[in-house]
Amino acid sequence: MNCTREDELLDALERGYIGAELEAHLASCVACGELRLVAGALLGDRAQAMAEAPIPSAGAMWWRMRMRERQDAEATARRSLLIGQAVTVAVAFALIITFFGGEISVGVRNLISTIRFSTPLLLATAILASLPIAGWFAVRHSD
């Protein structure tokens, strides 16, 4: 009970104009007549709902826009911090392998006894270890 002109009828109903030729077809086609009743009612309800839809105030829209911008900025900052943390971890591993590469297979006691701690090494380690923590605090406490 399908008709080949149903799509044409739906397009005409959405436009709000049914031509004389399509009106003549509707008089003879039961399927298109039912489609006109159902689709016409649904399209009418849609038009009424759109006309009655409340429009938010400019202040509310501005607030939503600012909140969205803030959320986008926070997401960008989180991505940047994650990249920074990954780079920090990679650099820390590279430094460990560079400084202790030949001695990793040695026993833990031998390794600890051979490490020569210097001020620049301790300073670089402290800075590399504190960067991810500082970034986490910056994101969490940026109100």
Side-chain angles (χ1 to χ4, degrees), residues 50-126:
M50 288 177 66
E52 294 173 355
I55 298 173
S57 69
M61 293 303 295
W62 180 83
W63 179 79
R64 288 179 188 168
M65 181 185 69
R66 298 290 297 168
M67 290 300 295
R68 177 63 184 252
E69 288 174 355
R70 182 177 178 181
Q71 290 169 352
D72 290 345
E74 287 175 358
T76 301
R78 281 191 200 100
R79 281 192 300 271
S80 299
L81 285 174
L82 181 62
I83 291 169
Q85 289 171 344
V87 168
T88 302
V89 169
V91 168
F93 281 132
L95 287 173
I96 289 171
I97 290 172
T98 300
F99 288 134
F100 311 116
E103 300 171 3
I104 289 179
S105 60
V106 178
V108 173
R109 189 178 319 163
N110 292 337
L111 179 64
I112 292 173
S113 66
T114 60
I115 296 174
R116 306 257 188 250
F117 289 105
S118 66
T119 304
L121 177 63
L122 289 175
L123 184 60
T125 305

